[in-house]
Amino acid sequence: MWKTSKGWFNRPKNYTEIPEEERLAIIERSSIQVSRGVFYSTIIIITSFLPVFLLTGQEGKLFHPLAWTKTFILLVDALLVVTLAPVMLSLFMKGRFKDDHANPINRALERVYEPIIRWVMRWRKTTIGINILALAVSVPMLLSLGSEFMPPLDEQSILFMPVTLPDVSNAEAKRILQVQDKLIKSVPEVDKVLGKAGRASTATDNSPISMIETIIMLKPKSEWRKGITKKDLINELDAKLQIPGVVNGWTQPIINRINMLATGIRTDVGIKVHGQSLDSIYAVSEQVKAVLNGVPGVKDLYVEPVTGGKYLTVDVNRDALGRYGLSVDEVNGVVESAIGGSPIGQTIEGRRRFSINVRLAQDYRNSIERIRRIPIATAAFGTIPLSAVATVKFEDGPPMITSDNALLRGAVMFNVRDRDLGSTVQEAIDKVGRELKLPNGYFLEWSGQYENLIRGQQTLLLIAPIVLVVIFLSLYLAFGSAREAFLSLITIPFALIGGAYMVYFYGVNLSVAVAVGFIALFGIAVETGVVMVIYLNDAMKQLVAKRGNSRETITREELKEYVINGAAKRLRPKIMTVSVALFGLVPVLWASGVGSDVMLPIVLPMIGGVLTSSTHILLVTPLIFLMTKEYELKKFGKLDVLEASH
């Protein structure tokens, strides 16, 4: 009972009780109607991730776990859609159910959506023109973006790698290292500094004494000066560390090791100069460096030294040896023992054994004059200096010999800052090609991160058309109609609009991470389009069931009303599909910490693309569907209505 001002009345019965068999039959029909489309949508999303599996190298290592995780989740999801979901509905969808209009959110959405869709139906050319214009604007936007291999990962530290002259002494390298560390520590944002000159005690570290490595650990960003960025810190440190004879280089510890192991280049980009003569290689390298000077974005430019090393040569005079009664081996033995040291025994400490070597003290071997006075004992003439039987001098030679594929090589190295990698290297390639003429037998090879960028781009360009074909075939199997498959597939370029706008206005360069974001976006866009087409076809079934399938009985106005009904009355599942994707992605925009700078380029195209593709699906897809059905009525005299099995 319920009470009004006029008395008590029986509460009206606002729901209809239905038999159990009919309830289960309704659930079965609804599941059949939706599950096939959702199943194929899941398969399409999995298919769209195929290019990720074909990535190799660093990009493959990074994104394969993402692709495998998403694939396994979606495979299980596809299985549950057609098996568990109908069972759960039959168990829990009981009792009283309110009409969709009873939900205030539904009513509000329909009140906003229905006038808009009617305006779209009225102004068809304007609607399609706006969409095509937005798509046309997004293409040059994408083409104007810079490109890079991967977005730079902030490792929360800096690696300072200066290079000095190849003949630098140990004492001078030590002095430079101490001065640099003191200057670096004077910056307030620096927490700890650890420097190393020369090679470590390992066969995998072939660093010469002239190459210094300093790891700079930074304080938490909350303790930095207001408004300062990591790029500002590097510029400030670089200005402080301008030491004559030292070429600065700035990178990060992890990416530096990856670059060195993968490409042999310890900077972002390296131009390998291959040839037959080290002197000619060095001359060509210097020419390349001169050409690259002044190219915007090129920083820390230097030539890997292949000459300029100093070698101590002891040239034995055999005539003098004969006069003193000495042999070459005796002289070599004295030189080896005095300068390099000779083993005299071993010491054992626990399980470790150490060789004991004896040589002259440093004061007696730290100059060429002292080396010339190294004493040599003779049988008949007593002790004589080394200079009596040998010429001791310094000679120039290569500090290190590097080869690739059995060819000698040098390298011109540089980092890229304040500009994207792709356009910087492309301008450098064009400039070198115009201004440099290589001698016969010599050639250049561009390596480093640019090498990885080209490899990733070639893989994605090769597989992308194949993926689109597979997606189209999956849609065709889902609908059994090429027209309906194309109607769902056309959402992909319109998803590109929002993705391009988001990437452009956030100032993110195109990279493998952005490409992975677009790949994921295309699958989501097609999935939402499939849901819309399913409900539009369901509306056509209702129209044909009520009015018959003939242009004699169906008017254009009725056709339009049923299309609007199919688009507007089932608005909730479409909005839910879009909202789930957005709610899962938007928090990444405010994420911080290690790794967030790599996630942002993946998420940006997905967020923008979901917004524009959903707008296209909600407004333009019904319009194109209506125009298609009007064409069918006009040309064939009836509608092409898909079977309810999908």
Side-chain angles (χ1 to χ4, degrees):
M1 299 287 290
W2 61 302
K3 186 178 180 180
T4 66
S5 58
K6 295 184 180 180
W8 291 86
F9 297 91
N10 289 325
R11 183 183 296 274
K13 196 173 184 180
N14 57 358
Y15 69 95
T16 303
E17 294 184 3
I18 59 175
E20 181 69 10
E21 291 183 2
E22 186 178 350
R23 184 181 72 88
L24 294 177
I26 293 173
I27 292 175
E28 180 182 353
R29 287 197 303 271
S30 302
S31 299
I32 291 173
Q33 179 190 21
V34 177
S35 60
R36 187 176 180 186
V38 176
F39 175 82
Y40 276 103
S41 298
T42 307
I43 298 301
I44 289 166
I45 295 177
I46 294 172
T47 303
S48 68
F49 262 79
L50 283 178
V52 181
F53 288 109
L54 297 178
L55 294 175
T56 58
Q58 299 174 38
E59 64 274 27
K61 297 287 186 184
L62 182 62
F63 291 115
H64 281 174
L66 168 67
W68 280 115
T69 303
K70 190 175 183 69
T71 299
F72 285 131
I73 290 174
L74 290 173
L75 284 173
V76 175
D77 173 64
L79 181 64
L80 294 179
V81 164
V82 297
T83 56
L84 182 62
V87 176
M88 299 298 289
L89 290 174
S90 66
L91 291 176
F92 294 104
M93 289 194 68
K94 297 179 181 179
R96 303 178 182 182
F97 293 98
K98 295 181 179 180
D99 188 83
D100 282 349
H101 292 282
N103 189 319
I105 298 177
N106 275 9
R107 292 199 303 269
L109 288 174
E110 288 183 15
R111 277 199 298 268
V112 173
Y113 177 65
E114 192 165 333
I116 296 176
I117 191 67
R118 290 187 181 279
W119 185 91
V120 166
M121 298 294 184
R122 188 182 313 115
W123 299 93
R124 301 182 180 188
K125 294 181 180 179
T126 303
T127 302
I128 295 175
I130 291 173
N131 275 262
I132 293 175
L133 179 63
L135 180 61
V137 170
S138 66
V139 173
M141 269 183 153
L142 278 178
L143 296 178
S144 68
L145 291 173
S147 60
E148 59 191 3
F149 171 57
M150 288 292 295
L153 173 66
D154 184 4
E155 300 175 18
Q156 309 292 316
S157 60
I158 301 171
L159 180 62
F160 176 47
M161 291 188 67
V163 177
T164 184
L165 300 176
D167 59 349
V168 65
S169 66
N170 290 355
E172 181 63 13
K174 180 180 178 181
R175 188 193 69 81
I176 292 173
L177 180 61
Q178 291 174 338
V179 170
Q180 289 175 343
D181 287 357
K182 186 176 180 180
L183 291 172
I184 292 170
K185 194 65 176 68
S186 67
V187 175
E189 287 74 17
V190 174
D191 185 20
K192 299 182 182 69
V193 183
L194 175 63
K196 174 184 77 71
R199 69 186 64 193
S201 182
T202 169
T204 60
D205 188 357
N206 59 353
S207 304
I209 192 69
S210 60
M211 189 178 78
I212 298 171
E213 296 180 12
T214 300
I215 296 178
I216 305 169
M217 302 300 296
L218 303 175
K219 295 177 181 178
K221 289 189 176 181
S222 58
E223 301 179 23
W224 290 13
R225 285 168 286 173
K226 186 176 181 181
I228 197 167
T229 64
K230 192 173 181 179
K231 185 182 297 184
D232 298 330
L233 277 180
I234 292 176
N235 292 333
E236 181 179 343
L237 287 167
D238 191 61
K240 282 178 174 286
L241 295 167
Q242 295 299 318
I243 299 175
V246 179
V247 180
N248 294 343
W250 300 93
T251 180
Q252 299 184 100
I254 298 175
I255 190 63
N256 172 258
R257 289 302 175 190
I258 292 174
N259 287 340
M260 290 182 70
L261 291 172
T263 64
I265 300 298
R266 55 180 174 264
T267 54
D268 293 341
V269 183
I271 305 102
K272 296 179 180 179
V273 183
H274 296 274
Q276 303 298 324
S277 167
L278 289 177
D279 291 334
S280 299
I281 288 174
Y282 184 73
V284 172
S285 300
E286 286 291 344
Q287 294 175 26
V288 172
K289 177 185 176 183
V291 171
L292 293 179
N293 264 322
V295 174
V298 173
K299 306 291 183 181
D300 311 331
L301 177 65
Y302 75 98
V303 175
E304 184 180 54
V306 294
T307 61
K310 299 297 182 181
Y311 290 86
L312 179 66
T313 303
V314 180
D315 189 6
V316 177
N317 187 334
R318 294 180 181 271
D319 294 336
L321 287 180
R323 288 195 300 269
Y324 290 107
L326 296 173
S327 67
V328 174
D329 288 341
E330 288 174 325
V331 175
N332 288 342
V334 171
V335 172
E336 179 184 358
S337 301
I339 300 176
S342 57
I344 61 171
Q346 281 188 338
T347 179
I348 300 175
E349 296 182 11
R351 301 182 62 183
R352 296 181 296 174
R353 295 173 180 264
F354 299 94
S355 177
I356 301 173
N357 289 355
V358 175
R359 63 178 176 176
L360 291 179
Q362 186 171 354
D363 289 343
Y364 295 94
R365 53 182 172 84
N366 61 0
S367 72
I368 193 168
E369 292 300 326
R370 290 181 180 273
I371 292 174
R372 286 171 178 161
R373 292 200 297 267
I374 292 175
I376 300 176
T378 65
F381 298 93
T383 301
I384 62 172
L386 176 62
S387 59
V389 292
T391 303
V392 182
K393 60 182 179 180
F394 281 116
E395 289 185 350
D396 291 335
M400 182 186 298
I401 298 177
T402 309
S403 64
D404 281 353
N405 298 321
L407 289 173
L408 294 175
R409 76 138 175 99
V412 182
M413 302 186 186
F414 63 88
N415 290 313
V416 177
R417 291 200 299 273
D418 304 326
R419 192 181 177 188
D420 67 284
L421 178 72
S423 62
T424 302
V425 176
Q426 191 57 54
E427 181 177 343
I429 291 173
D430 295 340
K431 191 173 182 183
V432 169
R434 288 194 311 268
E435 301 182 13
L436 184 65
K437 183 173 178 57
L438 295 173
N440 292 333
Y442 291 78
F443 64 94
L444 306 180
E445 179 185 358
W446 294 79
S447 187
Q449 289 289 314
Y450 183 74
E451 182 181 340
N452 298 326
L453 171 64
I454 297 301
R455 185 187 64 246
Q457 288 179 342
Q458 288 175 344
T459 302
L460 292 170
L461 291 174
L462 176 67
I463 195 62
I466 301 174
V467 171
L468 291 177
V469 172
V470 174
I471 290 176
F472 180 81
L473 292 176
S474 301
L475 289 169
Y476 180 77
L477 293 174
F479 294 112
S481 167
R483 188 182 298 114
E484 307 294 340
F486 177 77
L487 194 60
S488 297
L489 191 67
I490 202 174
T491 58
I492 288 181
F494 290 97
L496 183 73
I497 298 173
Y501 278 58
M502 285 288 283
V503 171
Y504 181 84
F505 287 112
Y506 262 80
V508 174
N509 293 321
L510 293 177
S511 63
V512 176
V514 174
V516 170
F518 274 111
I519 288 169
L521 164 66
F522 294 157
I524 296 172
V526 171
E527 178 187 26
T528 313
V530 167
V531 174
M532 172 62 85
V533 174
I534 286 174
Y535 287 129
L536 290 175
N537 278 298
D538 184 58
M540 294 300 98
K541 277 183 71 271
Q542 296 175 18
L543 174 61
V544 169
K546 181 178 179 181
R547 300 289 294 169
N549 195 358
S550 172
R551 65 182 168 198
E552 311 298 335
T553 58
I554 299 176
T555 64
R556 292 186 62 179
E557 190 62 30
E558 284 179 324
L559 182 60
K560 184 178 78 171
E561 289 300 321
Y562 270 84
V563 170
I564 292 174
N565 184 72
K569 303 307 178 184
R570 299 290 182 88
L571 191 60
R572 182 171 62 179
K574 302 158 195 169
I575 297 296
M576 287 174 61
T577 304
V578 174
S579 299
V580 167
L582 284 177
F583 292 157
L585 297 173
V586 168
V588 180
L589 295 178
W590 293 279
S592 59
V594 179
S596 59
D597 39 8
V598 176
M599 288 302 300
L600 186 66
I602 301 177
V603 168
L604 283 175
M606 295 175 69
I607 293 176
V610 165
L611 289 173
T612 55
S613 67
S614 59
T615 303
H616 170 83
I617 289 164
L618 291 174
L619 300 178
V620 183
T621 299
L623 173 59
I624 297 176
F625 187 87
L626 173 62
M627 295 169 65
T628 303
K629 295 305 174 184
E630 289 177 347
Y631 173 78
E632 291 174 1
L633 272 181
K634 182 178 179 181
K635 184 172 183 179
F636 304 110
K638 64 176 184 178
L639 299 175
D640 183 13
V641 182
L642 300 185
E643 296 294 329
S645 60
H646 65 75

